[in-house]
Amino acid sequence: MVDLGRAAARGTAFTLGAQGGRFVLQIGSLVVLARLLSPEAFGLVAMATSVLGVAELVRDFGLSSAAIQAKELTNPERTNLFWVNVAIGTTCALVALVGARPIAALYGDPRVAGVVLALAGLLVVSGVTTQFRAELSRDLRFVALGVVELSAQAAGVAVAITAAALGAGYWSIVLQQGTVVLTTCVLCVVFCAWRPGLPSRSTSVRRFVRFGSHVLGTQVLGYATNNVDNVGIGAVWGAGPLGVYSRAYQLLMVPINQINDPMSRVVLPVLSRVQDDLPTLQRYVEKAQRVGTYGLGPAFGVAAGLAAPLVAVLFGPQWTAVVPVFVVLAVGGVFRGVGLVTYWGFLARGRADRQLRMYLLTRPLMIGMILGGLPWGPVGVAVGHSAAFAAYWVVSLVSMGRATGLDAGRLLRQALVALVALTLPLGLLAHLGTWLVDGAVLQLVVGGVLALGWVGLLLAVLPSQRAELAAARGLLRRERVSRA
């Protein structure tokens, strides 16, 4: 019998370690490419990827989540799921090829068509990868998944920086994305012992398609919410302002993706195995939420407070327009960081249908809030974005609790205590440091010291916060003990 707690500990420890390396690579890529490329270059690629991302979700069709969540999965079912993903990926690639010119016409920039054509073929490669990656997750092969993620990211960064230095312009970003997708596919196939055979007509995958369709609907609505800002800014304001916004948004999403994506691969298979034991599931979900409440939340609080010197050091003085956009987005990032727990809760209990129903009600309202800021440019869109995600966090927690039987009130109280006691003071103290001294580097140091001082004070005077912070480190500690 697999010790799920230990498996989660081992998986989380290695995954977060690998993601630490990936975080360094992505930040390094942001820093170097920001000095080699113009905002317009980033904006052009963002125009294409904002639309193509929908095809990427359709290509998956929620079947990776369906395979991971399933209690039982036979080899014929795996094989049929593989071929379904390949077929959908190929179809999406063909649609993207046909739609390249209309997408470019949406933005009024013919260069976008070339980017779409270059990226379309990657949808087929991703279709091949889907079930290999899902199989690694089902087998709790978190070390292999971490190696795949880190290696693919390193290869992509190396290719992008080299191409940009040679004068490839925005094509260097296209090459980066292609390298990541191809490397991921090759390594997933190498690490996975399973191999697909020929499709079997006698084996039905209807239950996976049904579950996956609910996941797909949820993901498409979520993607629309996360990317309608890029489409709106690109269509109304052009590539330059979109490049500024996309750099701020990328700076926001790097830490979110470093935690949320790999944590989903670790947490979802574990939660799915205890989905019928509600007390155990509640306990595991609370542990998972602490990664956001005592990790991402405080990080974004500090980042918002130190936005001006942070952008100056990372991107240089020519990117000062990023600062106000990033400050506002970082506030919303706090709620996005703690909000992924609702996604895990719905899927672990097999209630993707209820999650889709909630999305159908909430996501159009969120999209309206985001687009409502368009007249005020990137900053106005960022305000709408953060307000929408703050409201969604509360609504989704309540909805998830009703659909799954989990105690949403406990989760909400746990998160609010951390936000009030930790995240908000950290952000204010970090910003105070920027007023006390001059010079971007010195401001980062002083702001960081003040924030760390608050953490130390909190640990000294509040036993409850010591316990919460200890619990947040619990998975990593268990891993170290298990190796001893």
Side-chain angles (χ1 to χ4, degrees):
M1 179 69 180
V2 176
D3 184 339
L4 292 179
R6 182 166 295 183
R10 185 177 298 111
T12 302
F14 186 86
T15 300
L16 292 181
Q19 289 306 112
R22 193 173 175 221
F23 176 79
V24 172
L25 286 171
Q26 287 198 339
I27 288 294
S29 172
L30 283 174
V31 171
V32 176
L33 291 177
R35 286 165 167 76
L36 293 173
L37 302 174
S38 66
E40 185 182 44
F42 292 104
L44 280 171
V45 179
M47 287 175 174
T49 55
S50 295
V51 178
L52 279 181
V54 178
E56 175 65 20
L57 292 178
V58 174
R59 185 272 313 158
D60 180 88
F61 208 83
L63 296 180
S64 59
S65 295
I68 293 171
Q69 192 271 344
K71 293 181 180 179
E72 296 181 358
L73 183 65
T74 66
N75 278 329
E77 287 174 333
R78 289 187 183 92
T79 293
N80 282 2
L81 288 173
F82 168 81
W83 288 111
V84 169
N85 279 128
V86 172
I88 297 175
T90 303
T91 302
C92 288
L94 293 174
V95 172
L97 291 174
V98 173
R101 290 187 181 278
I103 293 173
L106 169 68
Y107 296 109
D109 193 323
R111 293 174 295 177
V112 177
V115 177
V116 173
L117 292 173
L119 294 175
L122 299 179
L123 294 167
V124 181
V125 180
S126 294
V128 173
T129 308
T130 303
Q131 291 304 318
F132 286 103
R133 174 178 265 171
E135 185 66 15
L136 292 174
S137 293
R138 277 187 62 86
D139 292 340
L140 306 182
R141 297 278 307 279
F142 302 125
V143 172
L145 287 168
V147 171
V148 170
E149 294 282 351
L150 189 59
S151 300
Q153 189 65 41
V157 169
V159 168
I161 291 176
T162 301
L166 294 174
Y170 62 87
W171 288 109
S172 59
I173 308 174
V174 176
L175 289 171
Q176 180 181 24
Q177 296 191 18
T179 302
V180 170
V181 172
L182 290 169
T183 305
T184 298
C185 180
V186 170
L187 292 179
C188 281
V189 173
V190 169
F191 282 122
C192 187
W194 167 78
R195 293 292 182 269
L198 295 175
S200 171
R201 291 187 177 182
S202 62
T203 301
S204 173
V205 292
R206 187 175 301 170
R207 66 187 177 101
F208 299 99
V209 173
R210 183 167 52 251
F211 182 92
S213 65
H214 294 143
V215 175
L216 173 64
T218 299
Q219 290 177 336
V220 168
L221 288 169
Y223 185 86
T225 308
N226 294 334
N227 289 272
V228 70
D229 46 5
N230 286 329
V231 175
I233 293 172
V236 174
W237 294 93
L242 176 56
V244 169
Y245 184 88
S246 69
R247 289 306 83 195
Y249 192 81
Q250 184 69 21
L251 192 57
L252 169 79
M253 292 306 297
V254 165
I256 289 179
N257 290 336
Q258 299 311 303
I259 298 296
N260 285 358
D261 288 352
M263 280 295 292
S264 291
R265 289 194 294 273
V266 172
V267 170
L268 186 55
V270 173
L271 294 184
S272 296
R273 295 194 181 192
V274 297
Q275 60 183 284
D276 296 326
D277 183 353
L278 200 56
T280 301
L281 181 62
Q282 176 79 32
R283 188 168 64 253
Y284 279 26
V285 168
E286 289 178 10
K287 288 183 178 181
Q289 181 176 256
R290 290 186 180 102
V291 175
T293 54
Y294 290 91
L296 281 174
F300 281 127
V302 173
L306 297 174
L310 185 65
V311 169
V313 170
L314 291 179
F315 298 157
Q318 70 273 23
W319 289 86
T320 54
V322 168
V323 173
V325 179
F326 177 72
V327 170
V328 178
L329 288 177
V331 174
V334 171
F335 299 100
R336 294 183 66 160
V338 300
L340 189 66
V341 69
T342 62
Y343 175 77
W344 295 331
F346 275 115
L347 292 191
R349 290 282 282 175
R351 299 315 308 267
D353 56 335
R354 292 288 296 273
Q355 186 179 35
L356 175 58
R357 191 182 308 170
M358 180 198 66
Y359 266 47
L360 289 171
L361 294 173
T362 59
R363 292 293 167 151
L365 296 175
M366 294 173 68
I367 290 172
M369 293 174 68
I370 293 169
L371 293 179
L374 267 178
W376 294 273
V379 175
V381 172
V383 171
H385 185 280
S386 293
F389 274 95
Y392 170 75
W393 170 58
V394 178
V395 173
S396 64
L397 263 181
V398 174
S399 179
M400 185 269 292
R402 291 176 178 174
T404 64
L406 292 168
D407 189 343
R410 283 177 58 89
L411 293 167
L412 182 62
R413 288 190 295 273
Q414 179 193 69
L416 287 176
V417 168
L419 293 177
V420 173
L422 189 62
T423 300
L424 180 60
L426 287 180
L428 294 175
L429 287 169
H431 187 62
L432 176 62
T434 66
W435 287 80
L436 296 177
V437 295
D438 295 323
V441 174
L442 191 57
Q443 288 174 341
L444 290 175
V445 172
V446 173
V449 169
L450 290 176
L452 287 175
W454 179 258
V455 174
L457 179 63
L458 208 61
L459 293 175
V461 302
L462 290 180
S464 62
Q465 291 304 297
R466 287 201 300 272
E468 287 291 293
L469 287 169
R473 299 193 304 268
L475 290 175
L476 296 179
R477 182 182 296 113
R478 280 193 63 181
E479 167 61 10
R480 289 194 294 268
V481 171
S482 70
R483 289 183 177 182

